[in-house]
DNA sequence: TTGAAAGCGTTACCAT
DNA sequence: ATGGTAACGCTTTCAA
């Protein structure tokens, strides 16, 4: 790989001059510029980003930390972040924290050591102080960390309320809930929303709520338990789509017809939920938009542009399909 | 952030000494080492990876370029690569090429400019020469680029043959094929396998093969066309699971029962294929193993360890579930 | 308008 | 056993 020195030598100028044309900064004569450009092309020279980063203390990169890359929600989000980041001239490093505090901290260190300009994170272990110490722009997505931090979330509670009410209006007499991962903010909020709606029902008991881990397996398991314990259940609100899909599967295994005997509604609106049979009814988040918005805000922060607002609560939308 | 100089100053030694204890290289006295370690802890010092990379011309990072991060196959692969890379002490940068030549080239440049130690790529536009020019270890996964290059693939043709024969043995009289993306090697191979089995059938015509793009939408579309043109079809081999899921959906829309009136088999064995209703019969690739193997091989290459073999054709496995 | 040189944070070589 | 220093490839300040 040729370096700036090679270009300078070939063009018969100093490296300073080459740097100037590279960055379009400072004065450089027309003919000199042409010479340099010719040399660059001839050598197929590409600036060394590492050296640049060392000097600038910035690497033109943003980090994206997600808790579970196997949940389609996050690839969809990642896709949006990547698209927007590319558009704005940044690269993205995708990190999978596995919902694990140590891994997350390790990635944070790595990102910092690699001079990322900013980080988008979906975390429930990170605290506001930790972020403060990091001393680099961060936006939180999908999960609120602290009211004061730049954040993109949706109205989780409201969504859960809509979902549960919807089930009720559909005629469900007994509604169960598959909770999201214990300790995750949005899981709490969605559970609260559900509870708000059913708390007053005479039939309601704590055991109508079972724990899942936002993944399929745990949901199949949880749903089976739930349905064995409460065979009278005729409606389930799952805290995300993957778990809703797991619930459908469990219902199928137990010989319950969806939606005839059991209505199921999810949360997220991931693309894949449309190809289930039956297609999944869900509370859809504007996933792509969330990713774009997070990126835009982060970049504004990084580039110190003043922005009106950094905490966004996006709206969700009930999409009725065939599982209810 | 504190630098090596700060540590040296605090410990009352030279930066060279600090570097020695950091890397456990060269002589350093016991008491000196302790002083330095104390200073490191006190300052919470973390070496600057960028500076390290600049000197070493290596960034302790491997690049992973995939064509479509929305297809669950690739997150699963990415997950395996990431796990193994972390285990071996490397970070991974995930890039989504979108099956697009320019994006791919751009990422290749970016990775190179960032001194990645090696790259794992799933590509059908990349040529052997391009890779040679890159002058950095590369392993190709999921798609063969050239026989001479380190490669992890599966027996695509054999898998396709097994799939098609299986449909035949199940009693299907007319079998159609949803092809993968045009121009992608494994799509060709899978199509060949299918053709091998049905070519001699009296009913067979070219129009039993329709084109999909390895994604859901295109497959729904293609399947509808196929079934309208050939309503007599009672078996479909889709070149990947996502398209098989699309086919199930299309069948459902057209009022065809799966598997009673139409058997459908996919290819890949992605996790999500188990939660369809009906669960998808598929030719499963050992996805996680492929990712691990690719990473192991790449790292061996990077660390110049001699390795016996670099071209791996892994075996596939027919998993019979409910869609056939 | 251009060039020389310092500096970014490391590592490794050469002295001592 | 330890320290000084050149070098990695770039940007920017200061002089000319």
């Amino acid at each position: 790989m040729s370096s700036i020195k090679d270009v300078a030598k070939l063009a018969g100028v100093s490296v300073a001059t080459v740097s100037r044309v590279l960055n379009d900064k400072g004065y450089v004569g027309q003919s000199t510029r042409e010479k340099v450009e010719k040399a660059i092309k001839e050598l197929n020279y590409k600036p060394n980003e590492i050296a640049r980063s060392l000097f600038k203390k910035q690497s033109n990169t943003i980090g994206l930390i997600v808790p579970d890359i196997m949940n389609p929600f996050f690839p969809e989000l990642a896709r949006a972040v990547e698209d927007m980041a590319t558009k704005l001239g940044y690269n993205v490093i995708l990190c999978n924290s596995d919902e694990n505090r140590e891994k997350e901290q390790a990635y944070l260190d790595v990102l910092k050591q690699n001079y990322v300009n900013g980080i988008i994170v979906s975390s429930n272990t990170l605290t506001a102080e930790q972020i403060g110490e990091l001393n680099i722009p961060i936006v939180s997505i999908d999960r609120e960390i602290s009211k004061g931090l730049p954040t993109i979330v949706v109205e989780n509670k409201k969504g859960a309320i809509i979902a549960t009410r919807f089930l009720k209006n559909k005629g469900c007499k007994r509604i169960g809930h598959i909770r999201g991962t214990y300790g995750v903010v949005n899981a709490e909020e969605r559970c609260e929303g559900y509870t708000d709606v059913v708390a007053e029902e005479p039939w309601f008991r704590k055991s109508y709520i079972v724990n899942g881990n936002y993944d399929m397996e745990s949901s199949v398991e949880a749903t089976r338990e739930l349905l064995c314990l409460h065979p009278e259940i005729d409606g389930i609100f799952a805290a995300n789509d993957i778990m809703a899909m797991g619930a459908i599967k469990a219902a199928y295994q137990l010989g319950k017809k969806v939606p005839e005997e059991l209505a199921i509604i999810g949360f997220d609106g991931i693309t894949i939920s449309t190809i289930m049979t039956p297609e999944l009814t869900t509370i859809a988040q504007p996933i792509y938009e969330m990713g774009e918005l997070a990126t835009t805000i982060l970049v504004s922060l990084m580039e110190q542009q003043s922005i009106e607002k950094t905490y966004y609560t996006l709206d969700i939308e009930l999409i009725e399909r065939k599982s209810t």
Side-chain angles (χ1 to χ4, degrees), chain A:
Chain A
M1 275 213 301
S2 40
S3 79
I4 197 172
K5 272 188 192 163
D6 303 318
V7 177
K9 199 173 295 171
L10 181 60
V13 299
S14 75
V15 294
T17 304
V18 177
S19 176
R20 282 191 201 100
V21 351
L22 239 34
N23 301 289
D24 242 336
K25 242 176 199 168
Y27 295 99
V28 35
Q30 187 53 38
S31 65
T32 321
R33 156 165 280 125
E34 277 160 15
K35 272 190 298 182
V36 172
E37 273 161 356
K38 186 155 155 281
I40 289 178
K41 198 157 290 169
E42 200 158 319
L43 293 171
N44 186 29
Y45 165 75
K46 300 262 181 356
N48 179 321
E49 290 301 329
I50 295 285
R52 273 193 166 160
S53 303
L54 182 58
F55 186 88
K56 295 256 194 81
K57 294 175 180 293
Q58 302 259 310
S59 65
N60 240 341
T61 301
I62 77 186
L64 172 61
I65 305 185
V66 301
D68 179 15
I69 211 191
M70 304 275 279
N71 176 347
F73 176 81
F74 292 106
E76 288 189 34
L77 203 59
R79 180 58 202 273
V81 169
E82 200 202 7
D83 283 356
M84 184 53 86
T86 304
K87 205 172 291 173
L88 298 176
Y90 293 88
N91 296 119
V92 6
I93 302 191
L94 178 54
C95 312
N96 184 226
S97 74
D98 231 354
E99 212 72 273
N100 169 332
R101 183 186 231 100
E102 281 89 47
K103 270 199 183 183
E104 200 174 79
Q105 188 56 57
Y107 271 125
L108 245 20
D109 287 343
V110 168
L111 292 176
K112 185 105 201 256
Q113 290 168 57
N114 280 285
Y115 279 152
V116 295
N117 299 39
I119 300 179
I120 297 176
V121 64
S122 175
S123 161
N124 47 120
T125 70
L126 217 51
T127 66
E129 306 108 273
Q130 273 184 80
I131 292 184
E133 285 169 18
L134 230 40
N135 204 18
I136 134 180
I138 295 213
V139 357
S140 171
I141 194 166
D142 180 49
R143 304 173 178 189
E144 172 189 313
I145 292 177
S146 146
K147 287 285 178 206
L149 259 30
T151 302
I152 318 290
V153 285
V154 295
E155 314 202 65
N156 286 301
K157 187 164 172 184
K158 180 176 157 198
I161 292 175
I162 293 176
T164 316
R165 283 223 187 103
F166 175 77
L167 253 22
K168 247 171 99 174
N169 293 340
K170 276 282 169 181
C172 295
K173 299 290 176 234
R174 297 287 188 278
I175 303 174
H177 176 51
I178 321 282
R179 259 188 63 107
T181 310
Y182 205 82
V184 173
V185 203
N186 53 25
E188 312 288 349
E189 293 170 344
R190 291 171 199 177
C191 188
E192 266 176 42
Y194 160 80
T195 314
D196 271 20
V197 177
V198 299
E200 302 299 302
E201 300 287 340
W203 53 261
F204 177 69
R205 271 172 265 162
K206 275 262 164 91
S207 57
Y208 275 83
I209 303 177
V210 288
N211 285 304
N213 284 317
Y214 272 151
D215 64 13
M216 218 156 53
E217 275 178 36
S218 66
S219 170
V220 172
E221 203 47 49
T223 307
R224 296 179 68 125
E225 265 174 43
L226 183 64
L227 292 178
C228 290
L229 186 64
H230 292 296
E232 73 279 13
I233 282 180
D234 55 0
I236 289 184
F237 163 47
N240 76 356
D241 284 349
I242 285 291
M243 294 202 303
M245 292 163 96
I248 292 183
K249 181 175 178 178
Y252 186 79
Q253 289 173 353
L254 296 174
K256 289 241 186 194
K257 291 223 175 235
V258 178
E260 293 82 354
E261 304 170 47
L262 178 65
I264 295 182
I265 185 169
F267 200 115
D268 275 357
I270 56 181
T271 307
I272 209 148
S273 68
T274 65
I275 64 151
M276 289 292 297
T277 317
E279 292 181 23
L280 190 62
T281 294
T282 190
I283 303 293
Q285 307 189 47
I287 308 183
Y288 198 89
E289 196 189 330
M290 290 168 71
E292 287 186 316
L293 185 56
T295 313
T296 311
I297 296 205
L298 182 66
V299 170
S300 309
L301 250 28
M302 293 178 339
E303 298 177 349
Q304 341 242 31
Q305 291 159 213
S306 65
I307 43 186
E308 342 76 76
K309 192 181 149 196
T310 63
Y311 194 108
Y312 284 83
T313 309
L314 270 36
D315 220 347
I316 39 70
E317 180 193 6
L318 170 65
I319 301 186
E320 180 172 2
R321 291 198 281 244
K322 303 289 164 56
S323 67
T324 48

